[in-house]
Amino acid sequence: MFKKIMALVAVGVLATACGGGGETTADGGAPAASGGGDSTITMGFAQVGAESGWRTANTKSVQESAKAAGIDLKFSDAQQKQENQIKAIRSYIQQKVDVIAFSPVVESGWDTVLQEAKAANIPVILTDRAVDSADKTLYKTFLGSDFVEEGKKAGQWLVEQYASETGDVNIVELQGTTGSAPANDRKSGFAEVIGADPKFKVIASQSGDFTRAKGKEVMDAFLKAHPDIDVLYAHNDDMGLGAIEAIEGAGKVPGKDIKIITVDAVKDGMQALADGKINYIVECSPLLGPQLMDLAKKVLAGETVPDRVVTEETTFTQEQAKQALPTRQY
Ligand code: GZL
Ligand code: ZN
Protein backbone atom coordinates (compact mmCIF):
# COMPACT_ATOMS: atom_id res chain seq x y z
CA MET A 1 0.00 0.00 0.00
CA PHE A 2 2.62 2.49 1.17
CA LYS A 3 4.88 1.86 -1.86
CA LYS A 4 2.00 2.28 -4.34
CA ILE A 5 1.12 5.66 -2.84
CA MET A 6 4.70 6.83 -3.08
CA ALA A 7 4.74 5.75 -6.75
CA LEU A 8 1.47 7.60 -7.41
CA VAL A 9 2.76 10.71 -5.69
CA ALA A 10 5.85 10.55 -7.90
CA VAL A 11 3.68 10.21 -11.04
CA GLY A 12 1.40 12.98 -9.81
CA VAL A 13 4.31 15.34 -9.22
CA LEU A 14 5.85 14.44 -12.59
CA ALA A 15 2.50 15.00 -14.32
CA THR A 16 2.01 18.47 -12.82
CA ALA A 17 5.70 19.31 -13.27
CA CYS A 18 5.72 18.56 -16.97
CA GLY A 19 2.08 19.64 -17.34
CA GLY A 20 1.41 16.15 -18.77
CA GLY A 21 -1.94 14.27 -18.53
CA GLY A 22 -2.84 12.35 -15.29
CA GLU A 23 -5.43 14.23 -13.24
CA THR A 24 -4.20 15.60 -9.91
CA THR A 25 -6.12 16.66 -6.84
CA ALA A 26 -6.75 20.37 -6.19
CA ASP A 27 -3.58 20.74 -4.16
CA GLY A 28 -1.48 19.37 -7.03
CA GLY A 29 -0.94 16.04 -5.25
CA ALA A 30 -1.47 12.72 -6.95
CA PRO A 31 -4.95 11.16 -6.81
CA ALA A 32 -5.33 8.82 -3.81
CA ALA A 33 -4.67 5.20 -4.80
CA SER A 34 -7.66 2.92 -5.22
CA GLY A 35 -9.09 1.58 -1.95
CA GLY A 36 -8.95 4.99 -0.32
CA GLY A 37 -5.30 4.38 0.54
CA ASP A 38 -3.29 6.98 2.42
CA SER A 39 0.37 6.79 3.34
CA THR A 40 -0.34 4.07 5.90
CA ILE A 41 2.30 1.39 6.14
CA THR A 42 0.95 -2.16 5.83
CA MET A 43 2.90 -4.83 7.76
CA GLY A 44 2.45 -8.57 7.39
CA PHE A 45 3.40 -10.35 10.64
CA ALA A 46 3.76 -14.17 10.64
CA GLN A 47 3.67 -15.25 14.32
CA VAL A 48 4.93 -18.65 15.58
CA GLY A 49 1.75 -19.64 17.39
CA ALA A 50 0.26 -19.27 20.88
CA GLU A 51 2.33 -21.95 22.64
CA SER A 52 3.29 -20.03 25.79
CA GLY A 53 2.61 -17.07 28.01
CA TRP A 54 5.61 -15.42 26.41
CA ARG A 55 4.12 -15.78 22.93
CA THR A 56 0.78 -14.36 24.02
CA ALA A 57 2.53 -11.32 25.51
CA ASN A 58 4.64 -10.94 22.36
CA THR A 59 1.54 -11.00 20.14
CA LYS A 60 -0.15 -8.39 22.34
CA SER A 61 2.93 -6.16 22.13
CA VAL A 62 3.08 -6.38 18.32
CA GLN A 63 -0.66 -5.75 17.84
CA GLU A 64 -0.85 -2.84 20.32
CA SER A 65 2.32 -1.23 18.97
CA ALA A 66 1.09 -1.42 15.36
CA LYS A 67 -2.09 0.40 16.38
CA ALA A 68 -0.15 3.02 18.32
CA ALA A 69 2.20 3.53 15.36
CA GLY A 70 -0.65 3.86 12.83
CA ILE A 71 0.61 0.76 11.01
CA ASP A 72 -1.99 -1.46 9.32
CA LEU A 73 -1.16 -4.96 10.64
CA LYS A 74 -2.00 -8.24 8.91
CA PHE A 75 -1.39 -11.02 11.48
CA SER A 76 -1.20 -14.82 11.22
CA ASP A 77 -0.71 -17.61 13.82
CA ALA A 78 1.18 -20.62 12.41
CA GLN A 79 0.38 -23.05 15.26
CA GLN A 80 4.17 -23.64 15.50
CA LYS A 81 4.33 -25.08 11.97
CA GLN A 82 6.99 -23.75 9.58
CA GLU A 83 4.91 -24.52 6.48
CA ASN A 84 2.14 -22.27 7.84
CA GLN A 85 4.58 -19.42 8.40
CA ILE A 86 5.92 -19.81 4.86
CA LYS A 87 2.34 -19.78 3.50
CA ALA A 88 1.60 -16.60 5.47
CA ILE A 89 4.73 -14.87 4.15
CA ARG A 90 3.77 -15.87 0.59
CA SER A 91 0.30 -14.39 1.07
CA TYR A 92 1.81 -11.13 2.35
CA ILE A 93 3.98 -11.02 -0.79
CA GLN A 94 0.87 -11.53 -2.95
CA GLN A 95 -0.93 -8.75 -1.05
CA LYS A 96 2.08 -6.50 -1.71
CA VAL A 97 2.45 -5.43 1.91
CA ASP A 98 5.07 -2.77 2.54
CA VAL A 99 7.07 -4.78 5.07
CA ILE A 100 7.08 -8.35 6.43
CA ALA A 101 8.08 -9.26 9.99
CA PHE A 102 8.14 -12.72 11.59
CA SER A 103 9.61 -14.91 14.34
CA PRO A 104 10.98 -18.03 12.58
CA VAL A 105 9.73 -21.08 14.47
CA VAL A 106 12.96 -22.95 13.57
CA GLU A 107 16.32 -21.66 12.33
CA SER A 108 16.57 -23.32 8.92
CA GLY A 109 14.53 -23.63 5.70
CA TRP A 110 13.76 -19.95 5.04
CA ASP A 111 16.04 -18.99 2.13
CA THR A 112 13.55 -19.71 -0.68
CA VAL A 113 10.64 -17.70 0.71
CA LEU A 114 12.94 -14.89 1.82
CA GLN A 115 14.36 -14.74 -1.71
CA GLU A 116 10.77 -14.43 -3.00
CA ALA A 117 10.19 -11.46 -0.66
CA LYS A 118 13.46 -9.89 -1.81
CA ALA A 119 12.51 -10.39 -5.48
CA ALA A 120 9.19 -8.66 -4.71
CA ASN A 121 11.19 -5.82 -3.15
CA ILE A 122 9.47 -6.25 0.24
CA PRO A 123 11.85 -5.74 3.19
CA VAL A 124 11.81 -8.39 5.94
CA ILE A 125 12.49 -7.82 9.65
CA LEU A 126 13.26 -10.81 11.91
CA THR A 127 11.92 -10.56 15.44
CA ASP A 128 12.51 -12.82 18.48
CA ARG A 129 14.14 -15.82 16.77
CA ALA A 130 16.92 -15.99 14.15
CA VAL A 131 17.35 -17.85 10.85
CA ASP A 132 20.55 -19.63 9.82
CA SER A 133 20.55 -18.17 6.26
CA ALA A 134 24.09 -17.38 5.13
CA ASP A 135 22.73 -14.55 2.93
CA LYS A 136 22.30 -11.61 5.29
CA THR A 137 20.67 -9.50 2.54
CA LEU A 138 17.52 -11.63 2.96
CA TYR A 139 16.44 -9.51 5.93
CA LYS A 140 17.06 -5.94 7.06
CA THR A 141 17.65 -6.57 10.76
CA PHE A 142 17.13 -9.08 13.61
CA LEU A 143 15.47 -7.72 16.74
CA GLY A 144 15.50 -10.10 19.72
CA SER A 145 17.27 -11.51 22.74
CA ASP A 146 20.71 -13.06 22.89
CA PHE A 147 19.68 -16.62 23.79
CA VAL A 148 23.26 -17.83 24.31
CA GLU A 149 23.64 -15.09 26.92
CA GLU A 150 20.41 -16.25 28.58
CA GLY A 151 21.76 -19.82 28.78
CA LYS A 152 25.01 -18.53 30.24
CA LYS A 153 23.16 -16.51 32.91
CA ALA A 154 21.28 -19.67 33.92
CA GLY A 155 24.54 -21.63 34.11
CA GLN A 156 26.26 -18.86 36.06
CA TRP A 157 23.59 -18.92 38.77
CA LEU A 158 23.98 -22.70 39.13
CA VAL A 159 27.79 -22.46 39.38
CA GLU A 160 27.45 -19.86 42.14
CA GLN A 161 24.73 -21.79 44.01
CA TYR A 162 26.76 -25.01 44.06
CA ALA A 163 30.22 -23.44 44.52
CA SER A 164 30.83 -25.39 47.77
CA GLU A 165 29.24 -28.66 46.49
CA THR A 166 31.81 -31.45 46.08
CA GLY A 167 29.49 -34.28 44.94
CA ASP A 168 27.74 -34.64 41.58
CA VAL A 169 24.98 -32.15 40.69
CA ASN A 170 22.47 -34.08 38.55
CA ILE A 171 20.67 -31.82 36.07
CA VAL A 172 17.73 -32.56 33.78
CA GLU A 173 16.99 -30.15 30.92
CA LEU A 174 13.69 -29.36 29.21
CA GLN A 175 14.67 -27.95 25.82
CA GLY A 176 12.52 -25.58 23.76
CA THR A 177 11.15 -26.40 20.31
CA THR A 178 13.60 -28.66 18.45
CA GLY A 179 15.59 -26.69 15.89
CA SER A 180 14.56 -23.29 17.23
CA ALA A 181 17.19 -20.63 17.93
CA PRO A 182 16.20 -20.25 21.61
CA ALA A 183 16.45 -24.01 22.19
CA ASN A 184 19.80 -24.35 20.40
CA ASP A 185 21.34 -21.28 22.01
CA ARG A 186 19.97 -21.61 25.56
CA LYS A 187 21.33 -25.17 25.54
CA SER A 188 24.79 -24.19 24.29
CA GLY A 189 25.17 -21.13 26.56
CA PHE A 190 24.23 -23.19 29.63
CA ALA A 191 26.47 -26.11 28.67
CA GLU A 192 29.43 -23.79 28.08
CA VAL A 193 29.25 -22.33 31.60
CA ILE A 194 28.58 -25.54 33.58
CA GLY A 195 31.10 -27.42 31.42
CA ALA A 196 33.84 -25.73 33.43
CA ASP A 197 33.17 -28.10 36.36
CA PRO A 198 32.69 -31.88 35.85
CA LYS A 199 30.52 -32.14 38.99
CA PHE A 200 27.65 -30.71 36.88
CA LYS A 201 26.08 -33.65 35.05
CA VAL A 202 23.20 -33.24 32.57
CA ILE A 203 21.69 -36.70 33.08
CA ALA A 204 18.74 -36.11 30.70
CA SER A 205 17.84 -33.46 28.11
CA GLN A 206 14.74 -33.50 25.90
CA SER A 207 12.39 -31.06 24.12
CA GLY A 208 9.17 -29.98 25.85
CA ASP A 209 8.31 -27.79 22.82
CA PHE A 210 7.94 -24.68 25.06
CA THR A 211 4.52 -25.85 26.32
CA ARG A 212 3.28 -26.66 29.84
CA ALA A 213 1.66 -29.93 28.76
CA LYS A 214 4.78 -31.29 27.11
CA GLY A 215 6.97 -30.00 29.97
CA LYS A 216 4.87 -32.00 32.45
CA GLU A 217 4.91 -35.11 30.26
CA VAL A 218 8.70 -35.12 29.79
CA MET A 219 9.38 -34.29 33.46
CA ASP A 220 7.16 -37.24 34.46
CA ALA A 221 9.43 -39.47 32.37
CA PHE A 222 12.61 -37.91 33.81
CA LEU A 223 11.35 -38.51 37.37
CA LYS A 224 10.58 -42.18 36.62
CA ALA A 225 14.05 -42.73 35.14
CA HIS A 226 16.04 -40.70 37.69
CA PRO A 227 15.36 -40.72 41.46
CA ASP A 228 18.49 -38.57 41.83
CA ILE A 229 17.58 -35.29 40.10
CA ASP A 230 19.00 -32.20 41.85
CA VAL A 231 18.24 -29.46 39.28
CA LEU A 232 15.82 -28.75 36.41
CA TYR A 233 16.86 -26.25 33.73
CA ALA A 234 13.78 -25.45 31.59
CA HIS A 235 14.18 -23.24 28.48
CA ASN A 236 10.97 -21.38 29.35
CA ASP A 237 8.64 -20.75 32.29
CA ASP A 238 5.76 -22.69 30.77
CA MET A 239 7.68 -25.98 30.62
CA GLY A 240 8.94 -25.26 34.14
CA LEU A 241 5.36 -24.79 35.37
CA GLY A 242 4.34 -28.07 33.74
CA ALA A 243 7.34 -29.77 35.35
CA ILE A 244 6.30 -28.42 38.78
CA GLU A 245 3.02 -30.34 38.43
CA ALA A 246 5.00 -33.51 37.67
CA ILE A 247 7.41 -32.94 40.59
CA GLU A 248 4.53 -32.39 43.05
CA GLY A 249 2.77 -35.43 41.55
CA ALA A 250 5.88 -37.45 42.42
CA GLY A 251 5.65 -36.28 46.04
CA LYS A 252 8.72 -34.00 45.78
CA VAL A 253 8.97 -30.30 46.66
CA PRO A 254 9.80 -28.03 43.67
CA GLY A 255 12.34 -25.34 44.59
CA LYS A 256 13.65 -27.49 47.47
CA ASP A 257 14.11 -31.19 46.54
CA ILE A 258 14.67 -30.12 42.94
CA LYS A 259 16.01 -26.62 42.23
CA ILE A 260 14.43 -25.05 39.14
CA ILE A 261 15.85 -22.47 36.71
CA THR A 262 13.68 -21.17 33.87
CA VAL A 263 13.79 -18.47 31.17
CA ASP A 264 11.20 -15.78 30.21
CA ALA A 265 9.92 -14.24 33.49
CA VAL A 266 6.26 -14.12 32.45
CA LYS A 267 3.75 -13.42 35.22
CA ASP A 268 2.94 -17.07 36.06
CA GLY A 269 6.65 -17.89 36.21
CA MET A 270 7.36 -14.91 38.43
CA GLN A 271 4.50 -15.94 40.74
CA ALA A 272 5.99 -19.45 41.09
CA LEU A 273 9.39 -17.83 41.74
CA ALA A 274 7.90 -15.60 44.44
CA ASP A 275 6.17 -18.68 45.92
CA GLY A 276 9.52 -20.52 46.14
CA LYS A 277 8.66 -23.22 43.57
CA ILE A 278 11.19 -21.85 41.06
CA ASN A 279 14.63 -20.68 42.24
CA TYR A 280 15.86 -18.36 39.46
CA ILE A 281 14.45 -16.91 36.25
CA VAL A 282 16.41 -15.40 33.35
CA GLU A 283 14.26 -12.74 31.71
CA CYS A 284 13.51 -12.83 27.96
CA SER A 285 11.43 -9.79 27.06
CA PRO A 286 8.48 -10.35 24.67
CA LEU A 287 7.80 -6.60 24.48
CA LEU A 288 9.38 -6.20 21.03
CA GLY A 289 6.44 -4.32 19.47
CA PRO A 290 7.53 -0.70 19.87
CA GLN A 291 11.06 -1.32 18.56
CA LEU A 292 9.67 -3.39 15.65
CA MET A 293 7.36 -0.60 14.49
CA ASP A 294 10.15 1.95 14.82
CA LEU A 295 12.51 -0.26 12.76
CA ALA A 296 9.82 -0.80 10.08
CA LYS A 297 9.32 2.96 9.66
CA LYS A 298 13.07 3.52 9.43
CA VAL A 299 13.52 0.74 6.86
CA LEU A 300 10.68 2.09 4.70
CA ALA A 301 12.04 5.62 4.97
CA GLY A 302 15.29 4.28 3.51
CA GLU A 303 17.22 4.89 6.72
CA THR A 304 20.00 2.46 7.62
CA VAL A 305 19.21 0.27 10.64
CA PRO A 306 21.62 -1.88 12.68
CA ASP A 307 21.92 -5.53 11.51
CA ARG A 308 21.16 -6.66 15.04
CA VAL A 309 19.10 -5.06 17.84
CA VAL A 310 19.50 -6.95 21.13
CA THR A 311 16.67 -6.58 23.66
CA GLU A 312 17.42 -5.35 27.17
CA GLU A 313 16.69 -7.95 29.86
CA THR A 314 17.70 -9.03 33.34
CA THR A 315 17.40 -11.93 35.86
CA PHE A 316 15.25 -12.52 38.93
CA THR A 317 15.80 -14.21 42.31
CA GLN A 318 12.85 -15.14 44.56
CA GLU A 319 13.24 -11.88 46.50
CA GLN A 320 13.41 -9.77 43.30
CA ALA A 321 10.28 -11.49 41.94
CA LYS A 322 8.29 -10.41 45.00
CA GLN A 323 9.36 -6.79 44.34
CA ALA A 324 8.74 -6.88 40.59
CA LEU A 325 5.41 -8.75 40.46
CA PRO A 326 3.05 -5.85 41.28
CA THR A 327 4.24 -3.80 38.28
CA ARG A 328 4.94 -6.64 35.85
CA GLN A 329 3.67 -5.74 32.34
CA TYR A 330 3.44 -9.40 31.20
C1 GZL B 1 12.12 -16.60 23.08
C2 GZL B 1 10.87 -17.16 22.45
C3 GZL B 1 10.47 -18.41 23.16
C4 GZL B 1 10.10 -18.18 24.61
C5 GZL B 1 9.08 -19.22 24.79
O1 GZL B 1 12.40 -15.36 22.55
O2 GZL B 1 11.09 -17.45 21.10
O3 GZL B 1 9.31 -18.94 22.52
O4 GZL B 1 11.18 -18.31 25.49
C6 GZL B 1 8.29 -19.03 23.52
O5 GZL B 1 8.28 -19.07 25.92
O6 GZL B 1 7.42 -20.07 23.31
ZN1 ZN C 1 19.82 -40.95 37.56
Side-chain angles (χ1 to χ4, degrees), residues 158-190:
L158 206 56
V159 166
E160 285 154 18
Q161 285 301 309
Y162 285 85
S164 55
E165 178 62 56
T166 49
D168 284 356
V169 180
N170 293 324
I171 302 160
V172 292
E173 180 178 28
L174 284 171
Q175 297 180 36
T177 301
T178 304
S180 70
N184 292 336
D185 295 352
R186 285 173 187 164
K187 185 172 191 322
S188 62
F190 181 74

Side-chain angles (χ1 to χ4, degrees), residues 36-63:
D38 44 24
S39 64
T40 306
I41 291 173
T42 302
M43 173 186 282
F45 190 92
Q47 181 59 292
V48 167
E51 74 282 358
S52 63
W54 190 96
R55 188 65 52 199
T56 311
N58 178 246
T59 290
K60 189 162 166 272
S61 175
V62 168
Q63 290 174 332

Side-chain angles (χ1 to χ4, degrees), residues 27-307:
D27 63 2
S34 60
D38 44 24
S39 64
T40 306
I41 291 173
T42 302
M43 173 186 282
F45 190 92
Q47 181 59 292
V48 167
E51 74 282 358
S52 63
W54 190 96
R55 188 65 52 199
T56 311
N58 178 246
T59 290
K60 189 162 166 272
S61 175
V62 168
Q63 290 174 332
E64 286 176 356
S65 307
K67 212 177 288 146
I71 286 178
D72 175 19
L73 184 74
K74 296 179 183 304
F75 184 89
S76 64
D77 170 332
Q79 284 95 36
Q80 285 195 275
K81 289 185 178 56
Q82 180 172 30
E83 65 267 20
N84 291 346
Q85 278 193 300
I86 291 173
K87 267 193 217 115
I89 292 170
R90 287 207 163 109
S91 84
Y92 296 146
I93 294 171
Q94 245 92 52
Q95 296 172 62
K96 298 190 179 352
V97 298
D98 299 303
V99 59
I100 290 170
F102 76 115
S103 166
V105 60
V106 291
E107 286 193 276
S108 46
W110 301 100
D111 287 28
T112 306
V113 74
L114 291 179
Q115 270 144 14
E116 291 165 21
K118 187 176 173 188
N121 199 17
I122 299 176
V124 173
I125 295 176
L126 294 185
T127 74
D128 169 24
R129 297 184 184 177
V131 297
D132 62 8
S133 305
D135 179 358
K136 300 296 177 206
T137 68
L138 291 176
Y139 53 90
K140 293 294 177 192
T141 182
F142 164 38
L143 160 64
S145 306
D146 179 340
F147 302 129
V148 174
E149 202 44 46
E150 292 172 347
K152 287 183 174 175
K153 287 177 185 173
Q156 204 46 50
W157 181 83
L158 206 56
V159 166
E160 285 154 18
Q161 285 301 309
Y162 285 85
S164 55
E165 178 62 56
T166 49
D168 284 356
V169 180
N170 293 324
I171 302 160
V172 292
E173 180 178 28
L174 284 171
Q175 297 180 36
T177 301
T178 304
S180 70
N184 292 336
D185 295 352
R186 285 173 187 164
K187 185 172 191 322
S188 62
F190 181 74
E192 187 186 320
V193 168
I194 65 165
D197 187 333
K199 73 185 174 190
F200 292 114
K201 299 205 177 324
V202 177
I203 56 176
S205 179
Q206 201 179 317
S207 175
D209 208 19
F210 282 132
T211 67
R212 288 191 193 205
K214 202 88 176 79
K216 178 179 183 310
E217 188 190 308
V218 176
M219 191 66 196
D220 272 332
F222 285 167
L223 286 159
K224 286 191 180 61
H226 297 284
D228 52 352
I229 299 170
D230 300 306
V231 176
L232 162 64
Y233 169 46
H235 291 183
N236 81 332
D237 293 349
D238 287 69
M239 293 189 292
L241 292 164
I244 284 171
E245 289 174 43
I247 292 168
E248 290 174 332
K252 295 194 172 186
V253 181
K256 297 220 175 350
D257 298 335
I258 296 177
K259 297 279 187 285
I260 301 179
I261 309 164
T262 63
V263 184
D264 276 352
V266 295
K267 201 170 287 250
D268 289 350
M270 292 288 272
Q271 190 56 61
L273 180 60
D275 296 345
K277 294 188 175 182
I278 291 178
N279 300 86
Y280 191 65
I281 299 187
V282 175
E283 184 183 42
C284 173
S285 174
L287 306 180
L288 305 177
Q291 284 174 288
L292 169 59
M293 300 309 152
D294 184 44
L295 285 165
K297 287 186 173 175
K298 284 194 168 78
V299 165
L300 288 170
E303 292 173 36
T304 49
V305 294
D307 297 343

